[in-house]
């Protein structure tokens, strides 16, 4: 039997007994390989087991790869969420500072206006209120809260006495 694909020249015959023996050995070896190949092809169970083992190996490798990808995606999402949280926190701090500054500015404006109004009321009280009542009016202008409380108490006494007169 000659193998025409191997590039060897076709064997035409043996030139001696040693060469004939070596040809027989080579032919037996080739035949043994061919029989092994045919037996392997006929062993369906063995081939199925080998295929199943290959598929199990591939599935295991894919599982490891998917777990790694999922872990990487989880880390990426965590990093992005942390970054977004820091951005939101920074904006909140800046907004808080703006509100605080505007409130402080509004407080100063209100305090200045109240001071000017108080000074104007004091000047007006000094010019237009009669001299005996002037200290009382100036005290009420300088300290409006106690004056309002006393005024409210007096108003309540007047209303009660007017509504429920003594008989």
């Amino acid at each position: 039997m000659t193998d025409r694909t191997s590039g060897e020249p076709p064997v035409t015959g043996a030139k001696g007994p040693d060469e004939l023996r070596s040809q027989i050995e080579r032919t037996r070896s080739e035949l043994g390989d061919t029989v092994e190949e045919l037996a392997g092809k006929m062993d369906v169970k063995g081939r199925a087991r080998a295929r199943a083992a290959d598929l199990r190996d591939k599935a295991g490798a894919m599982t490891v790869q998917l777990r790694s990808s999922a872990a990487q995606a989880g880390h990426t999402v965590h990093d992005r969420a942390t970054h977004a949280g820091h951005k939101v926190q920074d904006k909140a701090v800046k907004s808080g500072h703006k509100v605080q500054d505007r409130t402080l500015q509004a407080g100063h404006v209100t305090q200045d206006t109240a001071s000017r109004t108080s000074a104007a009321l004091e000047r007006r009280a000094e010019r237009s209120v009669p001299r005996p009542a002037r200290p009382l009016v100036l005290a009420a202008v300088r300290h409006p809260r106690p004056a309002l409380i006393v005024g409210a108490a007096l108003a309540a006494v007047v209303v009660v006495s007017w509504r429920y007169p003594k008989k």
Side-chain angles (χ1 to χ4, degrees):
M1 192 184 265
T2 60
D3 188 25
R4 297 186 181 198
T5 59
S6 65
E8 294 178 14
V11 179
T12 55
K15 298 195 178 181
D18 290 331
E19 193 176 331
L20 184 59
R21 281 189 193 107
S22 70
Q23 282 181 356
I24 291 172
E25 278 301 315
R26 196 176 22 213
T27 304
R28 278 185 187 160
S29 173
E30 289 174 5
L31 221 80
D33 292 342
T34 305
V35 168
E36 281 182 32
E37 280 183 39
L38 289 174
K41 288 183 181 180
M42 295 304 290
D43 184 19
V44 177
K45 257 189 186 178
R47 287 176 45 202
R49 283 185 189 138
R51 178 77 173 140
D54 287 345
L55 290 175
R56 270 194 301 273
D57 291 344
K58 283 183 183 178
M62 287 180 118
T63 301
V64 169
Q65 185 179 5
L66 286 174
R67 284 183 181 164
S68 173
S69 296
Q72 182 64 32
H75 289 300
T76 301
V77 167
H78 181 265
D79 291 345
R80 287 183 181 174
T82 302
H83 183 68
H86 288 303
K87 275 187 174 179
V88 168
Q89 188 177 14
D90 290 344
K91 285 185 179 182
V93 167
K94 286 179 184 176
S95 297
H97 287 305
K98 278 185 182 178
V99 167
Q100 195 174 19
D101 291 344
R102 288 180 182 170
T103 304
L104 186 63
Q105 189 177 16
H108 288 307
V109 168
T110 303
Q111 190 175 11
D112 291 344
T113 304
S115 294
R116 278 186 265 136
T117 304
S118 175
L121 284 174
E122 282 184 32
R123 282 193 306 271
R124 187 181 284 175
E126 286 178 4
R127 280 184 269 152
S128 62
V129 174
R131 201 176 280 279
R134 193 175 294 164
L136 185 63
V137 171
L138 287 176
V141 168
R142 288 186 188 122
H143 308 289
R145 195 173 288 157
L148 287 174
I149 293 171
V150 169
L154 284 174
V157 168
V158 169
V159 167
V160 168
S161 65
W162 177 71
R163 179 135 185 167
Y164 304 106
K166 287 186 179 177
K167 294 185 187 182

